């Protein structure tokens, strides 16, 4: 190229692209292990059992996603953000973590919750906000469980990015070998939180992996209008964070690069950003109407790139799975999840006093007074036969 | 007389924006999904077709960007309307709103001002959970330099938004989303404004003054009916409409009649606007009062997903408060 490059600090040091310490081009390319036809085009290091495990997680996420849509339609679930078509991102990324590692996901990553160790029953209880809801009726469409280091997502998108960095810095300060991962959408990269997180991660070499789930839409905004950067991954480069762009509909590509990032972080070599390019097949949420802004033909196009179908073709070609086994996997999980739905559907609601709990470690005097007011209001409602709740 | 068209609040807001954008070529609308999508509640529906993508701007997903850029546009001479998709997401932009928009007139010795309009859906009642239900008006009312408005009817929504779009000061315009499509009324298609700083008497009465705003106006009216039927008490309901500068005269005038004050708001009680109204009345008109001031508000806890109608002020809790006031 012939151009000269200079460092930021005085006296300016001249350097070449090789001195940056990582390969810039990986932020511009698209890493793949499996192509659209299910042919292997890259290397991977995963045994057959684990490949099938990945496949089953993706199937489970797809079936559960469909149930959450149906439950929302009948009013049992307040809101759902469909995961359909993006299963490879959550499953591939979360499988790269070890048991003790932490995950700060967004609201659209059913596969990641399952991999991390939240069961279908726990997810459904949460979505319905029934008596067994782990989050005690506080919020819709977010999931998490402390015992498996899965931190519930904030609804303001991307707020969790700096949390992941802070947790990673804490692990480092405490001498733990924990790695922390954050998953968030393409839209979230526009927020200040993302930029603060990347900057801190780079400066402090935090053992953190950022996964930008680029499903090409943020509600009605296509990702080419979200940013003028050629890829989302190059944003990491600007912060000195090695960044890699992968095909997000290729679960083995996501897994392989995420695993490399997790291992790097665990070796103390600092953060990585992984952009996983996928596609949001459904509406943004059950409250959205995508026909207003998106050509339905585009969805048809991406249906052909369905990550589950692609992985299945690969498994068939390799002889790791046959049609009969595949049918049994779908049947088994369809019926298991249907049974779980039935079980969760009829559980009683949360008691009324949850609305005043968990504000402080112990209720303050105003909350104690207000609890009395709440109780009295329930009596009045009964006495006067009012319809309120 | 020709019949006026029936409009809901979304249509009324849309027509205010449309009419004002025709009148004033310097008005631009910016925010997440405001263009092709027309906003997630369709308040800006169709504006992009009439005014183009230069004046109806789909922005990247960052509230601080939206409000910060709006401030810059206003400094240069445009009249930006920044939509916050849900007002619960305003917090990232508070530095721009509270430090910049609110203070820039003062900080520049009056040379510059940033009379932006920040508008968005607020408040609860639609199973929106913690971040699609909040009533954050106190942060704005507490900040010198901002005007804060919350209409409760389509007519007022249109008239007040027009006033906001002609205001020389920055305005935070809060739209109770539960009222977007539940109330319809006649709304003129020709030009009119509802002045900033003037309350509306939603129901006249002589025994108690209930000062309220937003969707709580309807709860107060319900409760007024209930106590009238059960006890014969005659409640006056004042819809504040402009939360700051609030219409102190309307409150005092009503108290002169009733001598009893209740404030009802969805926001949490502690340091809610009810506290300021109560303090104002206590300082300036305590001799008018025949009973202690009563507040019925959202509880001092984050807005819940479950049992939200028990968290928000409801007819039962307003009834309890009115009973205490009347039996004092
Ligand atoms: C701070 C903030 N602003 C606005 C919203 C409303 N909103 C919810 S999701 C969303 C789009 C998010 O897009 P992206 O980050 O790409 O994630 P995706 O939904 O595509 O998975 C918006 C604007 C929000 N949740 N948080
Ligand atoms: Mg997206």
């Amino acid at each position: 190229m012939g151009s000269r490059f200079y460092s930021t600090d005085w006296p300016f040091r001249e350097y070449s692209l090789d001195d940056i310490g990582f390969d810039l081009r990986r932020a511009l390319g698209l890493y793949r292990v499996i192509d659209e036809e299910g042919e292997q085009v890259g290397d991977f290091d995963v045994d057959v059992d684990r490949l099938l495990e990945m496949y089953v997680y993706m199937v489970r996420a797809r079936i559960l996603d469909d149930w959450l849509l149906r439950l929302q339609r009948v009013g049992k679930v307040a809101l759902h953000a469909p995961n359909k078509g993006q299963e490879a991102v959550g499953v591939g990324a979360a499988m790269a973590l070890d048991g003790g590692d932490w995950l700060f996901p967004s609201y659209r990553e059913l596969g990641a919750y399952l991999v991390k160790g939240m069961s279908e029953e726990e997810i459904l209880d949460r979505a319905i906000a029934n008596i067994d809801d782990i989050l005690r009726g506080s919020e819709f469409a977010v999931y998490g469980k402390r015992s498996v280091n899965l931190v519930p997502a904030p609804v303001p998108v991307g707020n969790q990015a700096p949390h992941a960095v802070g947790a990673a810095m804490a692990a480092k300060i405490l001498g733990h070998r924990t790695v922390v991962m954050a998953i968030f959408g393409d839209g979230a990269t526009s927020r200040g939180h993302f930029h603060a997180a990347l900057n801190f991660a780079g400066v402090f070499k935090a053992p953190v992996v950022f996964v930008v789930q680029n499903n090409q839409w943020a509600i009605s905004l296509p990702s080419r209008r979200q940013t003028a950067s050629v890829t989302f991954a190059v944003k990491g480069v600007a912060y000195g964070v090695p960044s890699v762009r992968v095909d997000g509909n290729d679960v083995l590509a996501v897994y392989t690069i995420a695993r490399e990032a997790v291992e790097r972080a665990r070796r103390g070599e600092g953060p990585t950003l992984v952009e996983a390019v996928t596609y949001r097949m459904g509406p943004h949420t059950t409250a959205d109407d995508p026909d207003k802004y998106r050509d339905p033909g585009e969805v048809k196009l991406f249906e052909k790139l369905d990550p589950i179908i692609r992985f299945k073709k690969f498994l068939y070609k390799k002889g790791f799975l046959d049609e009969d086994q595949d049918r049994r996997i779908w049947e088994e999980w369809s019926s298991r999840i249907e049974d779980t739905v039935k079980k969760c559907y009829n559980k009683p609601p949360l008691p009324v006093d949850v609305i005043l709990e968990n504000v402080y470690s112990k209720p303050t005097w105003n909350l104690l007074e207000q609890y009395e007011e709440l109780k009295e209001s329930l009596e009045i409602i009964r006495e006067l036969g009012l319809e309120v709740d | 007389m020709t019949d006026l068209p029936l409009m809901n609040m979304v249509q009324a807001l849309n027509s205010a924006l449309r009419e004002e954008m025709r009148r004033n070529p310097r008005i631009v609308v910016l925010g997440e999904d405001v263009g092709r999508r027309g906003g997630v509640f369709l308040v800006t529906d169709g504006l992009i077709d009439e005014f183009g993508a230069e004046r109806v701007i789909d922005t990247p997903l960052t509230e601080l960007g939206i409000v910060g850029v709006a401030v810059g546009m206003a400094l240069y001479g445009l009249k930006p309307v920044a939509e916050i998709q849900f007002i619960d997401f305003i917090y990232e932009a508070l530095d721009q709103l509270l430090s910049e928009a609110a203070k820039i007139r003062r900080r520049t010795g009056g040379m510059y001002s940033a009379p932006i309009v920040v508008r968005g859906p607020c408040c609860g009642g639609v199973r929106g959970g913690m971040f699609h239900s909040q009533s954050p008006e106190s942060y704005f009312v507490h900040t010198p330099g901002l005007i804060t408005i919350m209409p409760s009817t389509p007519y007022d929504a249109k008239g007040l938004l027009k006033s906001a779009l002609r205001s020389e000061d920055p305005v935070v315009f809060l739209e109770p989303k539960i009222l977007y499509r539940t109330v319809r009324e006649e709304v003129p298609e020709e030009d009119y404004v509802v002045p900033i700083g003037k309350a509306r008497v939603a129901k006249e009465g002589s025994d108690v003054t209930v000062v309220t705003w937003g969707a709580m106006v309807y709860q107060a009216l319900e409760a007024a009916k209930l106590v009238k039927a059960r006890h014969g008490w005659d409640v006056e309901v004042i819809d504040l409409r402009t939360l700051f500068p609030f219409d102190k005269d309307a409150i005092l005038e009503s108290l002169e009649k009733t001598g009893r004050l209740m404030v009802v708001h969805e926001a949490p009680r502690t340091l809610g606007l009810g506290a300021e109204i109560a303090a104002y009345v206590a300082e300036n008109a305590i001799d008018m009062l025949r009973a202690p001031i009563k507040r019925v508000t959202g509880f001092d806890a984050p807005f819940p997903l479950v049992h939200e109608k028990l968290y928000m002020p409801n007819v039962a809790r307003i009834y309890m408060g009115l009973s205490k006031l009347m039996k004092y």
Side-chain angles (χ1 to χ4, degrees):
Chain A
M1 280 193 285
S3 9
R4 291 149 176 259
F5 301 96
Y6 296 95
S7 64
T8 51
D9 46 335
W10 179 263
F12 300 134
R13 281 174 289 114
E14 199 177 328
Y15 67 94
S16 75
L17 282 187
D18 297 336
D19 297 329
I20 290 177
F22 55 87
D23 184 357
L24 290 174
R25 284 167 309 186
R26 298 184 87 195
L28 300 167
L30 190 74
Y31 185 83
R32 271 185 169 179
V33 175
I34 309 171
D35 75 6
E36 281 100 342
E37 299 313 316
E39 293 295 344
Q40 185 183 343
V41 293
D43 295 333
F44 66 94
D45 178 22
V46 186
D47 63 31
V48 182
D49 286 350
R50 211 151 154 73
L51 289 175
L52 290 175
E53 209 185 331
M54 277 180 195
Y55 182 70
V56 171
Y57 275 126
M58 290 168 72
V59 170
R60 286 168 63 185
R62 179 70 58 95
I63 296 169
L64 184 58
D65 190 59
D66 194 48
W67 272 112
L68 287 166
L69 274 176
R70 289 159 73 178
L71 289 167
Q72 196 281 333
R73 260 181 238 128
V74 298
K76 197 70 180 169
V77 163
L79 183 105
H80 177 55
N83 183 226
K84 187 180 175 193
Q86 304 182 196
E87 293 87 350
V89 179
V91 171
M95 284 198 72
L97 295 170
D98 290 344
D101 292 340
W102 282 49
L103 179 62
F104 289 78
S106 75
Y107 46 81
R108 200 191 292 286
E109 302 302 342
L110 285 178
Y113 316 145
L114 291 170
V115 171
K116 204 73 187 85
M118 221 178 150
S119 66
E120 276 90 352
E121 182 168 352
E122 288 166 326
I123 291 172
L124 285 159
D125 287 339
R126 171 73 275 274
I128 295 168
N130 65 27
I131 185 92
D132 289 332
D133 173 11
I134 300 177
L135 304 191
R136 308 281 289 165
S138 63
E139 181 55 300
F140 60 36
V142 295
Y143 303 88
K145 182 173 156 185
R146 182 167 181 159
S147 59
V148 296
N149 301 329
L150 179 67
V151 185
V155 162
V157 300
N159 278 15
Q160 72 273 34
H163 305 167
V165 178
M169 288 170 69
K172 196 171 162 184
I173 290 167
L174 293 171
H176 298 171
R177 300 188 70 242
T178 311
V179 172
V180 183
M181 179 182 280
I183 309 180
F184 42 81
D186 45 289
T189 65
S190 290
R191 297 195 71 221
H193 304 261
F194 168 81
H195 296 278
L198 264 287
N199 193 34
F200 271 57
V203 168
F204 297 107
K205 279 204 158 205
V208 62
V209 179
F210 303 101
V211 177
V212 179
Q213 168 269 102
N214 173 9
N215 60 6
Q216 306 184 46
W217 290 92
I219 308 189
S220 74
L221 202 71
S223 46
R224 67 175 179 284
R225 308 246 338 259
Q226 189 68 245
T227 182
S229 303
V230 281
T231 69
F232 286 92
V234 294
K235 290 173 190 284
V237 172
Y239 292 103
V241 174
S243 302
V244 190
R245 190 155 169 266
V246 304
D247 185 334
N249 280 11
D250 171 355
V251 68
L252 275 184
V254 177
Y255 172 81
T256 301
I257 297 301
R259 184 68 197 167
E260 181 188 306
V262 167
E263 284 169 357
R264 231 179 68 80
R266 209 177 316 277
R267 285 196 304 270
E269 292 168 28
T272 307
L273 182 149
V274 181
E275 173 189 347
V277 187
T278 179
Y279 188 78
R280 193 194 83 206
M281 282 193 194
H284 167 66
T285 64
T286 45
D288 185 29
D289 171 17
D291 288 347
K292 259 201 116 201
Y293 56 80
R294 179 166 86 169
D295 174 10
E298 187 186 289
V299 183
K300 283 263 166 312
L301 209 77
F302 278 95
E303 272 167 11
K304 295 202 190 84
L305 304 177
D306 186 317
I308 296 182
I309 294 173
R310 194 198 293 194
F311 195 37
K312 184 169 74 181
K313 281 186 193 162
F314 166 82
L315 294 172
Y316 281 3
K317 281 185 181 167
K318 289 275 177 201
F320 298 152
L321 182 76
D322 61 31
E323 260 173 64
D324 208 39
Q325 286 167 311
D326 183 49
R327 193 176 35 76
R328 268 186 279 128
I329 289 172
W330 283 90
E331 277 171 9
E332 183 198 334
W333 283 101
S334 297
S335 94
R336 277 169 76 163
I337 295 173
E338 186 173 344
D339 290 346
T340 311
V341 169
K342 283 184 189 144
K343 181 174 172 197
C344 300
Y345 196 95
N346 292 315
K347 290 187 191 181
L350 282 159
V352 167
D353 41 326
V354 294
I355 67 178
L356 294 178
E357 73 177 26
N358 285 320
V359 182
Y360 294 92
S361 53
K362 284 183 214 64
T364 46
W365 59 263
N366 56 328
L367 287 165
L368 295 173
E369 283 179 14
Q370 289 170 23
Y371 179 64
E372 293 306 315
E373 192 178 332
L374 173 62
K375 270 205 311 205
E376 197 185 332
S377 75
L378 295 175
E379 276 160 35
I380 298 280
I381 288 168
R382 217 170 302 125
E383 217 178 286
L384 304 188
L386 299 171
E387 275 181 33
V388 174
D389 195 16
Chain B
M1 275 252 313
T2 53
D3 282 342
L4 297 175
L6 282 180
M7 284 191 199
N8 64 29
M9 193 183 280
V10 168
Q11 295 164 322
L13 291 164
N14 184 274
S15 72
L17 287 167
R18 201 179 283 276
E19 286 171 28
E20 290 299 299
M21 288 180 84
R22 284 178 192 154
R23 255 187 88 246
N24 179 357
R26 293 189 167 227
I27 294 177
V28 298
V29 170
L30 69 163
E32 293 154 15
D33 309 290
V34 297
R36 198 52 54 215
R37 181 72 180 77
V40 294
F41 288 102
L42 302 179
V43 172
T44 58
D45 196 28
L47 295 182
I48 193 166
D49 299 320
E50 180 168 350
F51 303 104
E54 291 245 298
R55 290 183 68 196
V56 182
I57 306 166
D58 273 322
T59 68
L61 203 174
T62 165
E63 288 70 21
L64 90 81
I66 295 165
V67 177
V69 162
V71 168
M73 287 174 162
L75 293 177
Y76 197 82
L78 287 182
K79 181 76 181 175
V81 183
E83 173 171 308
I84 302 298
Q85 194 162 86
F86 288 85
I87 205 66
D88 317 54
F89 301 131
I90 191 70
Y91 303 113
E92 190 199 36
L94 286 189
D95 201 19
Q96 288 296 336
L97 185 61
L98 308 187
S99 307
E100 300 305 327
K103 296 182 176 60
I104 208 153
R105 181 187 294 280
R106 169 76 178 164
R107 145 165 114 64
T108 63
M111 281 191 301
Y112 289 99
S113 65
I116 62 174
V117 175
V118 174
R119 51 155 292 273
C122 70
C123 310
V126 300
R127 272 180 106 191
M130 193 183 285
F131 280 93
H132 294 80
S133 305
Q134 297 174 24
S135 298
E137 64 262 23
S138 284
Y139 302 113
F140 315 126
V141 170
H142 185 65
T143 303
L146 297 178
I147 288 170
T148 306
I149 292 172
M150 193 191 294
S152 73
T153 66
Y155 179 92
D156 284 354
K158 180 169 176 180
L160 281 163
L161 186 55
K162 278 173 164 269
S163 288
L165 288 165
R166 300 174 193 185
S167 165
E168 293 182 15
D169 295 302
V171 175
V172 179
F173 196 92
L174 304 169
E175 303 159 5
K177 66 182 84 65
I178 193 169
L179 303 179
Y180 269 156
R181 291 168 196 286
T182 49
V183 186
R184 292 174 83 79
E185 67 178 350
E186 294 188 340
V187 174
E189 283 196 284
E190 70 270 20
D191 193 33
Y192 72 96
V193 294
V194 171
I196 290 170
K198 286 271 170 275
R200 172 180 74 98
V201 178
K203 175 190 172 302
E204 286 193 29
S206 51
D207 292 324
V208 194
T209 301
V210 175
V211 175
T212 186
W213 50 91
M216 291 300 106
V217 170
Y218 300 92
Q219 296 296 314
L221 290 171
E222 274 292 306
K225 241 188 270 168
L226 185 69
V227 296
K228 182 76 186 170
R230 287 185 70 90
H231 305 288
W233 303 332
D234 194 13
V235 178
E236 177 144 305
V237 178
I238 295 187
D239 176 0
L240 208 54
R241 303 193 293 193
T242 298
L243 307 188
F244 198 85
F246 64 77
D247 190 347
K248 64 177 175 62
D249 296 330
I251 297 171
L252 296 181
E253 237 164 74
S254 177
L255 282 179
E256 218 158 323
K257 243 185 338 186
T258 65
R260 298 183 184 90
L261 174 63
M262 174 186 285
V263 186
V264 181
H265 58 66
E266 276 184 61
R269 182 165 314 162
T270 299
L271 269 181
L273 179 51
E276 184 57 35
I277 292 169
Y280 184 85
V281 169
E283 276 184 343
N284 295 284
I286 198 148
D287 45 350
M288 285 186 191
L289 296 180
R290 287 193 257 169
I293 299 165
K294 182 79 200 150
R295 286 181 288 165
V296 178
T297 68
F299 291 125
D300 286 334
F303 200 100
L305 174 64
V306 295
H307 306 305
E308 64 175 330
K309 299 278 165 63
L310 296 172
Y311 168 89
M312 295 157 66
N314 53 44
V315 173
R317 280 173 58 209
I318 299 172
Y319 177 88
M320 278 157 53
L322 289 171
S323 302
K324 273 179 201 144
L325 275 177
M326 292 305 294
K327 291 177 181 164
Y328 179 74

